[in-house]
Amino acid sequence: MNERIHILMVAPWSAPKIVTIPNTLEVFQAIVGGLIQAVPLEANVDIICNEEGKLMRLPPNRRVGWDIIFGTFLVVGVSGENFDSLPDEKVAQYMDLFS
């Protein structure tokens, strides 16, 4: 598992940002503001969001499929059972999608 990962952070009403963060549960929880939930976007790419974002009345962020993600979320790569850096071609794809 990589100690630091290169990912996208998407806050409500903001353009996505490329960030490099420590690859720890505590950092993910701090960014999303609570318990995390991984939502698959495609093979080897997940969203990490607040599991209770709707219940906590976090601000609506982006529509993903048939649902809306509430609060800040992260777009990360997945390697086996671990979160990993988002591949460069996916960074461009999701920057465009969530802009």
Side-chain angles (χ1 to χ4, degrees):
M1 179 171 81
N2 292 325
E3 290 184 23
R4 296 183 68 77
I5 56 175
H6 183 73
I7 61 171
L8 288 181
M9 181 170 61
V10 186
W13 307 296
S14 299
K17 288 195 271 185
I18 300 168
V19 296
T20 301
I21 62 170
N23 191 4
T24 67
L25 175 62
E26 294 79 17
V27 170
F28 298 144
Q29 289 175 327
I31 292 171
V32 304
L35 300 174
I36 67 167
Q37 175 181 7
V39 178
L41 282 176
E42 63 176 278
N44 302 320
V45 178
D46 281 1
I47 283 178
I48 298 175
C49 61
N50 187 310
E51 181 177 62
E52 299 174 326
K54 290 178 189 173
L55 297 174
M56 294 172 67
R57 297 180 183 219
L58 295 178
N61 193 335
R62 305 290 201 284
R63 178 174 295 280
V64 176
W66 294 101
D67 205 0
I68 296 174
I69 303 293
F70 286 74
T72 297
F73 65 87
L74 306 171
V75 183
V76 302
V78 178
S79 179
E81 294 183 10
N82 298 310
F83 297 125
D84 204 348
S85 291
L86 194 60
D88 290 339
E89 68 274 5
K90 297 298 178 183
V91 168
Q93 174 185 342
Y94 287 106
M95 285 282 287
D96 185 50
L97 179 66
F98 293 125
S99 288

Short mmCIF file of all heavy atoms in Angstrom, two decimals, residues 26-76:
data_model
loop_
_atom_site.label_atom_id
_atom_site.label_comp_id
_atom_site.label_asym_id
_atom_site.label_seq_id
_atom_site.Cartn_x
_atom_site.Cartn_y
_atom_site.Cartn_z
N GLU A 26 -7.92 7.70 8.74
CA GLU A 26 -8.13 8.94 9.50
C GLU A 26 -8.16 10.16 8.57
O GLU A 26 -8.98 11.06 8.77
CB GLU A 26 -7.03 9.11 10.55
CG GLU A 26 -7.06 8.06 11.65
CD GLU A 26 -6.45 6.72 11.25
OE1 GLU A 26 -5.71 6.65 10.24
OE2 GLU A 26 -6.73 5.72 11.94
N VAL A 27 -7.31 10.19 7.58
CA VAL A 27 -7.29 11.32 6.63
C VAL A 27 -8.56 11.31 5.79
O VAL A 27 -9.20 12.35 5.59
CB VAL A 27 -6.03 11.30 5.75
CG1 VAL A 27 -6.12 12.31 4.62
CG2 VAL A 27 -4.80 11.56 6.61
N PHE A 28 -8.97 10.14 5.30
CA PHE A 28 -10.21 10.05 4.51
C PHE A 28 -11.39 10.55 5.34
O PHE A 28 -12.21 11.33 4.86
CB PHE A 28 -10.48 8.62 4.04
CG PHE A 28 -9.43 8.04 3.14
CD1 PHE A 28 -9.11 6.70 3.23
CD2 PHE A 28 -8.76 8.80 2.20
CE1 PHE A 28 -8.15 6.13 2.40
CE2 PHE A 28 -7.79 8.26 1.37
CZ PHE A 28 -7.50 6.91 1.48
N GLN A 29 -11.48 10.11 6.60
CA GLN A 29 -12.59 10.51 7.47
C GLN A 29 -12.56 12.02 7.73
O GLN A 29 -13.61 12.65 7.75
CB GLN A 29 -12.54 9.74 8.78
CG GLN A 29 -12.92 8.28 8.61
CD GLN A 29 -12.78 7.47 9.89
OE1 GLN A 29 -11.89 7.73 10.71
NE2 GLN A 29 -13.64 6.48 10.05
N ALA A 30 -11.38 12.58 7.92
CA ALA A 30 -11.28 14.02 8.16
C ALA A 30 -11.76 14.82 6.95
O ALA A 30 -12.46 15.82 7.09
CB ALA A 30 -9.84 14.39 8.51
N ILE A 31 -11.40 14.37 5.75
CA ILE A 31 -11.78 15.10 4.53
C ILE A 31 -13.28 15.03 4.29
O ILE A 31 -13.91 16.04 3.96
CB ILE A 31 -11.00 14.57 3.31
CG1 ILE A 31 -9.51 14.94 3.44
CG2 ILE A 31 -11.59 15.14 2.01
CD1 ILE A 31 -8.62 14.28 2.41
N VAL A 32 -13.89 13.84 4.46
CA VAL A 32 -15.33 13.71 4.18
C VAL A 32 -16.19 14.06 5.39
O VAL A 32 -17.40 14.16 5.28
CB VAL A 32 -15.70 12.31 3.62
CG1 VAL A 32 -14.91 12.01 2.37
CG2 VAL A 32 -15.56 11.22 4.66
N GLY A 33 -15.57 14.23 6.55
CA GLY A 33 -16.31 14.66 7.73
C GLY A 33 -17.05 13.57 8.47
O GLY A 33 -18.08 13.84 9.09
N GLY A 34 -16.54 12.35 8.43
CA GLY A 34 -17.20 11.26 9.17
C GLY A 34 -16.84 9.90 8.61
O GLY A 34 -15.80 9.73 7.98
N LEU A 35 -17.73 8.95 8.86
CA LEU A 35 -17.53 7.59 8.39
C LEU A 35 -17.47 7.56 6.87
O LEU A 35 -18.22 8.27 6.20
CB LEU A 35 -18.66 6.68 8.87
CG LEU A 35 -18.84 6.56 10.38
CD1 LEU A 35 -20.09 5.75 10.70
CD2 LEU A 35 -17.61 5.94 11.02
N ILE A 36 -16.58 6.73 6.34
CA ILE A 36 -16.44 6.69 4.88
C ILE A 36 -17.25 5.55 4.27
O ILE A 36 -17.51 4.54 4.92
CB ILE A 36 -14.97 6.59 4.43
CG1 ILE A 36 -14.35 5.26 4.82
CG2 ILE A 36 -14.16 7.76 4.93
CD1 ILE A 36 -13.02 4.97 4.13
N GLN A 37 -17.62 5.76 3.02
CA GLN A 37 -18.27 4.75 2.19
C GLN A 37 -17.57 4.77 0.84
O GLN A 37 -17.34 5.85 0.28
CB GLN A 37 -19.74 5.08 2.02
CG GLN A 37 -20.47 4.13 1.08
CD GLN A 37 -21.94 4.51 0.92
OE1 GLN A 37 -22.40 5.54 1.41
NE2 GLN A 37 -22.67 3.67 0.23
N ALA A 38 -17.21 3.60 0.33
CA ALA A 38 -16.62 3.50 -1.01
C ALA A 38 -17.73 3.16 -2.00
O ALA A 38 -18.49 2.22 -1.80
CB ALA A 38 -15.54 2.43 -1.03
N VAL A 39 -17.81 3.96 -3.06
CA VAL A 39 -18.82 3.77 -4.11
C VAL A 39 -18.06 3.50 -5.41
O VAL A 39 -17.34 4.38 -5.90
CB VAL A 39 -19.70 5.02 -4.27
CG1 VAL A 39 -20.71 4.83 -5.39
CG2 VAL A 39 -20.38 5.37 -2.95
N PRO A 40 -18.21 2.29 -6.00
CA PRO A 40 -17.50 2.00 -7.25
C PRO A 40 -18.00 2.87 -8.40
O PRO A 40 -19.20 3.04 -8.58
CB PRO A 40 -17.83 0.53 -7.51
CG PRO A 40 -18.37 -0.01 -6.23
CD PRO A 40 -18.97 1.15 -5.50
N LEU A 41 -17.05 3.44 -9.16
CA LEU A 41 -17.38 4.18 -10.38
C LEU A 41 -17.17 3.31 -11.60
O LEU A 41 -17.95 3.34 -12.55
CB LEU A 41 -16.51 5.43 -10.50
CG LEU A 41 -16.90 6.61 -9.64
CD1 LEU A 41 -15.89 7.74 -9.78
CD2 LEU A 41 -18.28 7.11 -10.01
N GLU A 42 -16.08 2.57 -11.59
CA GLU A 42 -15.72 1.64 -12.66
C GLU A 42 -14.67 0.70 -12.08
O GLU A 42 -14.26 0.87 -10.92
CB GLU A 42 -15.21 2.37 -13.89
CG GLU A 42 -13.93 3.16 -13.66
CD GLU A 42 -13.41 3.79 -14.94
OE1 GLU A 42 -12.75 3.06 -15.70
OE2 GLU A 42 -13.65 4.98 -15.16
N ALA A 43 -14.19 -0.24 -12.88
CA ALA A 43 -13.14 -1.14 -12.40
C ALA A 43 -11.95 -0.32 -11.93
O ALA A 43 -11.46 0.54 -12.66
CB ALA A 43 -12.73 -2.11 -13.50
N ASN A 44 -11.53 -0.54 -10.71
CA ASN A 44 -10.34 0.09 -10.11
C ASN A 44 -10.46 1.59 -9.86
O ASN A 44 -9.45 2.27 -9.72
CB ASN A 44 -9.10 -0.21 -10.94
CG ASN A 44 -8.87 -1.71 -11.08
OD1 ASN A 44 -9.07 -2.46 -10.12
ND2 ASN A 44 -8.51 -2.15 -12.25
N VAL A 45 -11.68 2.13 -9.80
CA VAL A 45 -11.90 3.53 -9.44
C VAL A 45 -13.12 3.61 -8.52
O VAL A 45 -14.19 3.11 -8.86
CB VAL A 45 -12.13 4.43 -10.68
CG1 VAL A 45 -12.40 5.87 -10.26
CG2 VAL A 45 -10.95 4.36 -11.63
N ASP A 46 -12.93 4.23 -7.35
CA ASP A 46 -14.01 4.41 -6.38
C ASP A 46 -14.15 5.87 -5.99
O ASP A 46 -13.20 6.64 -6.11
CB ASP A 46 -13.73 3.64 -5.08
CG ASP A 46 -14.03 2.15 -5.16
OD1 ASP A 46 -14.43 1.65 -6.23
OD2 ASP A 46 -13.84 1.47 -4.13
N ILE A 47 -15.34 6.20 -5.49
CA ILE A 47 -15.55 7.45 -4.78
C ILE A 47 -15.51 7.10 -3.30
O ILE A 47 -16.07 6.08 -2.88
CB ILE A 47 -16.93 8.06 -5.12
CG1 ILE A 47 -16.90 8.74 -6.48
CG2 ILE A 47 -17.38 9.05 -4.06
CD1 ILE A 47 -18.23 9.31 -6.91
N ILE A 48 -14.83 7.93 -2.51
CA ILE A 48 -14.90 7.82 -1.06
C ILE A 48 -15.71 9.02 -0.59
O ILE A 48 -15.33 10.17 -0.84
CB ILE A 48 -13.51 7.84 -0.41
CG1 ILE A 48 -12.69 6.64 -0.87
CG2 ILE A 48 -13.64 7.84 1.12
CD1 ILE A 48 -11.26 6.65 -0.37
N CYS A 49 -16.84 8.75 0.08
CA CYS A 49 -17.71 9.82 0.53
C CYS A 49 -18.14 9.56 1.97
O CYS A 49 -17.84 8.51 2.54
CB CYS A 49 -18.93 9.96 -0.38
SG CYS A 49 -19.99 8.49 -0.45
N ASN A 50 -18.86 10.51 2.54
CA ASN A 50 -19.38 10.36 3.88
C ASN A 50 -20.58 9.43 3.83
O ASN A 50 -21.56 9.70 3.12
CB ASN A 50 -19.77 11.72 4.46
CG ASN A 50 -20.17 11.64 5.92
OD1 ASN A 50 -20.98 10.82 6.31
ND2 ASN A 50 -19.60 12.52 6.71
N GLU A 51 -20.51 8.35 4.58
CA GLU A 51 -21.57 7.34 4.60
C GLU A 51 -22.91 7.93 5.06
O GLU A 51 -23.97 7.48 4.63
CB GLU A 51 -21.15 6.20 5.54
CG GLU A 51 -22.14 5.07 5.64
CD GLU A 51 -21.62 3.97 6.52
OE1 GLU A 51 -21.38 4.21 7.72
OE2 GLU A 51 -21.44 2.85 5.99
N GLU A 52 -22.87 8.95 5.90
CA GLU A 52 -24.09 9.53 6.45
C GLU A 52 -24.32 10.96 5.96
O GLU A 52 -24.98 11.75 6.61
CB GLU A 52 -24.01 9.51 7.98
CG GLU A 52 -23.88 8.11 8.53
CD GLU A 52 -23.67 8.09 10.04
OE1 GLU A 52 -23.00 9.01 10.57
OE2 GLU A 52 -24.18 7.16 10.66
N GLY A 53 -23.76 11.27 4.78
CA GLY A 53 -23.84 12.63 4.26
C GLY A 53 -25.25 13.18 4.16
O GLY A 53 -25.50 14.34 4.50
N LYS A 54 -26.18 12.37 3.70
CA LYS A 54 -27.57 12.83 3.57
C LYS A 54 -28.19 13.04 4.94
O LYS A 54 -28.86 14.03 5.18
CB LYS A 54 -28.40 11.82 2.78
CG LYS A 54 -28.05 11.76 1.33
CD LYS A 54 -28.87 10.70 0.61
CE LYS A 54 -28.35 10.52 -0.80
NZ LYS A 54 -28.99 9.40 -1.47
N LEU A 55 -27.98 12.08 5.85
CA LEU A 55 -28.54 12.18 7.20
C LEU A 55 -27.99 13.37 7.96
O LEU A 55 -28.69 13.99 8.76
CB LEU A 55 -28.27 10.89 7.98
CG LEU A 55 -28.90 9.62 7.44
CD1 LEU A 55 -28.42 8.41 8.21
CD2 LEU A 55 -30.41 9.72 7.49
N MET A 56 -26.71 13.70 7.70
CA MET A 56 -26.06 14.83 8.37
C MET A 56 -26.40 16.16 7.71
O MET A 56 -25.97 17.21 8.16
CB MET A 56 -24.54 14.63 8.36
CG MET A 56 -24.08 13.45 9.18
SD MET A 56 -22.32 13.11 8.96
CE MET A 56 -21.59 14.56 9.72
N ARG A 57 -27.17 16.08 6.61
CA ARG A 57 -27.57 17.27 5.84
C ARG A 57 -26.37 18.05 5.33
O ARG A 57 -26.35 19.28 5.32
CB ARG A 57 -28.51 18.15 6.63
CG ARG A 57 -29.79 17.46 6.96
CD ARG A 57 -30.70 18.34 7.74
NE ARG A 57 -31.89 17.59 8.08
CZ ARG A 57 -33.10 18.07 8.07
NH1 ARG A 57 -33.29 19.32 7.72
NH2 ARG A 57 -34.13 17.34 8.41
N LEU A 58 -25.35 17.29 4.86
CA LEU A 58 -24.22 17.93 4.20
C LEU A 58 -24.72 18.52 2.89
O LEU A 58 -25.74 18.07 2.35
CB LEU A 58 -23.10 16.92 3.95
CG LEU A 58 -22.43 16.33 5.19
CD1 LEU A 58 -21.37 15.30 4.77
CD2 LEU A 58 -21.81 17.41 6.05
N PRO A 59 -24.05 19.51 2.35
CA PRO A 59 -24.52 20.12 1.10
C PRO A 59 -24.46 19.13 -0.07
O PRO A 59 -23.53 18.32 -0.15
CB PRO A 59 -23.57 21.29 0.86
CG PRO A 59 -22.41 21.05 1.75
CD PRO A 59 -22.84 20.16 2.86
N PRO A 60 -25.46 19.18 -0.95
CA PRO A 60 -25.41 18.32 -2.13
C PRO A 60 -24.20 18.67 -2.98
O PRO A 60 -23.83 19.84 -3.09
CB PRO A 60 -26.71 18.59 -2.86
CG PRO A 60 -27.21 19.89 -2.32
CD PRO A 60 -26.61 20.08 -0.97
N ASN A 61 -23.61 17.65 -3.59
CA ASN A 61 -22.39 17.88 -4.35
C ASN A 61 -22.61 17.57 -5.82
O ASN A 61 -22.82 18.46 -6.63
CB ASN A 61 -21.25 17.06 -3.76
CG ASN A 61 -19.89 17.46 -4.27
OD1 ASN A 61 -19.78 17.99 -5.35
ND2 ASN A 61 -18.86 17.18 -3.50
N ARG A 62 -22.54 16.30 -6.20
CA ARG A 62 -22.67 15.91 -7.61
C ARG A 62 -23.60 14.70 -7.72
O ARG A 62 -23.66 13.87 -6.83
CB ARG A 62 -21.32 15.52 -8.22
CG ARG A 62 -20.19 16.53 -8.11
CD ARG A 62 -20.44 17.75 -8.98
NE ARG A 62 -19.26 18.51 -9.31
CZ ARG A 62 -18.61 19.34 -8.51
NH1 ARG A 62 -18.97 19.49 -7.26
NH2 ARG A 62 -17.56 20.02 -8.96
N ARG A 63 -24.27 14.60 -8.87
CA ARG A 63 -25.06 13.41 -9.18
C ARG A 63 -24.10 12.35 -9.72
O ARG A 63 -23.29 12.62 -10.59
CB ARG A 63 -26.12 13.71 -10.22
CG ARG A 63 -26.94 12.49 -10.63
CD ARG A 63 -28.07 12.83 -11.56
NE ARG A 63 -29.07 13.68 -10.93
CZ ARG A 63 -30.03 13.23 -10.10
NH1 ARG A 63 -30.08 11.97 -9.80
NH2 ARG A 63 -30.90 14.07 -9.59
N VAL A 64 -24.24 11.15 -9.20
CA VAL A 64 -23.46 10.00 -9.67
C VAL A 64 -24.47 8.88 -9.91
O VAL A 64 -25.07 8.37 -8.98
CB VAL A 64 -22.39 9.56 -8.65
CG1 VAL A 64 -21.68 8.31 -9.13
CG2 VAL A 64 -21.39 10.68 -8.40
N GLY A 65 -24.67 8.55 -11.19
CA GLY A 65 -25.70 7.56 -11.52
C GLY A 65 -27.06 8.11 -11.14
O GLY A 65 -27.42 9.23 -11.49
N TRP A 66 -27.82 7.32 -10.37
CA TRP A 66 -29.16 7.72 -9.94
C TRP A 66 -29.15 8.40 -8.57
O TRP A 66 -30.22 8.69 -8.02
CB TRP A 66 -30.09 6.51 -9.91
CG TRP A 66 -30.32 5.95 -11.27
CD1 TRP A 66 -29.73 4.85 -11.81
CD2 TRP A 66 -31.17 6.47 -12.28
NE1 TRP A 66 -30.15 4.65 -13.09
CE2 TRP A 66 -31.05 5.64 -13.41
CE3 TRP A 66 -32.02 7.58 -12.35
CZ2 TRP A 66 -31.75 5.88 -14.58
CZ3 TRP A 66 -32.72 7.80 -13.52
CH2 TRP A 66 -32.58 6.95 -14.62
N ASP A 67 -28.01 8.63 -8.00
CA ASP A 67 -27.91 9.15 -6.65
C ASP A 67 -27.16 10.49 -6.64
O ASP A 67 -26.49 10.84 -7.60
CB ASP A 67 -27.20 8.14 -5.75
CG ASP A 67 -27.56 8.29 -4.29
OD1 ASP A 67 -28.37 9.18 -3.95
OD2 ASP A 67 -27.03 7.52 -3.47
N ILE A 68 -27.26 11.19 -5.54
CA ILE A 68 -26.51 12.43 -5.33
C ILE A 68 -25.56 12.19 -4.16
O ILE A 68 -25.97 11.67 -3.12
CB ILE A 68 -27.44 13.61 -5.04
CG1 ILE A 68 -28.32 13.89 -6.27
CG2 ILE A 68 -26.64 14.86 -4.66
CD1 ILE A 68 -29.38 14.95 -6.05
N ILE A 69 -24.30 12.58 -4.34
CA ILE A 69 -23.31 12.51 -3.28
C ILE A 69 -23.39 13.81 -2.50
O ILE A 69 -23.40 14.90 -3.09
CB ILE A 69 -21.88 12.32 -3.83
CG1 ILE A 69 -21.80 11.07 -4.73
CG2 ILE A 69 -20.86 12.27 -2.71
CD1 ILE A 69 -21.98 9.76 -4.03
N PHE A 70 -23.46 13.72 -1.18
CA PHE A 70 -23.54 14.90 -0.32
C PHE A 70 -22.21 15.09 0.39
O PHE A 70 -21.61 14.16 0.89
CB PHE A 70 -24.65 14.72 0.72
CG PHE A 70 -26.03 14.89 0.13
CD1 PHE A 70 -26.58 13.90 -0.67
CD2 PHE A 70 -26.76 16.03 0.37
CE1 PHE A 70 -27.84 14.04 -1.23
CE2 PHE A 70 -28.03 16.19 -0.18
CZ PHE A 70 -28.57 15.20 -0.98
N GLY A 71 -21.73 16.33 0.42
CA GLY A 71 -20.47 16.65 1.05
C GLY A 71 -19.29 16.41 0.13
O GLY A 71 -19.44 15.95 -1.01
N THR A 72 -18.11 16.73 0.62
CA THR A 72 -16.87 16.53 -0.15
C THR A 72 -16.62 15.05 -0.35
O THR A 72 -16.85 14.25 0.55
CB THR A 72 -15.70 17.17 0.61
OG1 THR A 72 -15.95 18.58 0.70
CG2 THR A 72 -14.37 16.94 -0.09
N PHE A 73 -16.14 14.69 -1.55
CA PHE A 73 -15.78 13.30 -1.80
C PHE A 73 -14.45 13.23 -2.53
O PHE A 73 -13.95 14.22 -3.05
CB PHE A 73 -16.88 12.54 -2.56
CG PHE A 73 -17.16 13.01 -3.96
CD1 PHE A 73 -16.44 12.52 -5.04
CD2 PHE A 73 -18.19 13.91 -4.22
CE1 PHE A 73 -16.72 12.93 -6.34
CE2 PHE A 73 -18.48 14.33 -5.51
CZ PHE A 73 -17.73 13.83 -6.57
N LEU A 74 -13.88 12.03 -2.54
CA LEU A 74 -12.59 11.76 -3.18
C LEU A 74 -12.79 10.76 -4.30
O LEU A 74 -13.62 9.86 -4.18
CB LEU A 74 -11.60 11.19 -2.17
CG LEU A 74 -11.40 12.00 -0.89
CD1 LEU A 74 -10.57 11.21 0.11
CD2 LEU A 74 -10.74 13.32 -1.22
N VAL A 75 -12.05 10.91 -5.38
CA VAL A 75 -12.02 9.92 -6.45
C VAL A 75 -10.64 9.27 -6.39
O VAL A 75 -9.62 9.96 -6.53
CB VAL A 75 -12.26 10.54 -7.84
CG1 VAL A 75 -12.30 9.45 -8.91
CG2 VAL A 75 -13.57 11.34 -7.85
N VAL A 76 -10.63 7.96 -6.13
CA VAL A 76 -9.37 7.25 -5.88
C VAL A 76 -9.25 6.03 -6.78
O VAL A 76 -10.24 5.50 -7.27
CB VAL A 76 -9.28 6.79 -4.40
CG1 VAL A 76 -9.37 7.98 -3.46
CG2 VAL A 76 -10.35 5.77 -4.05
#
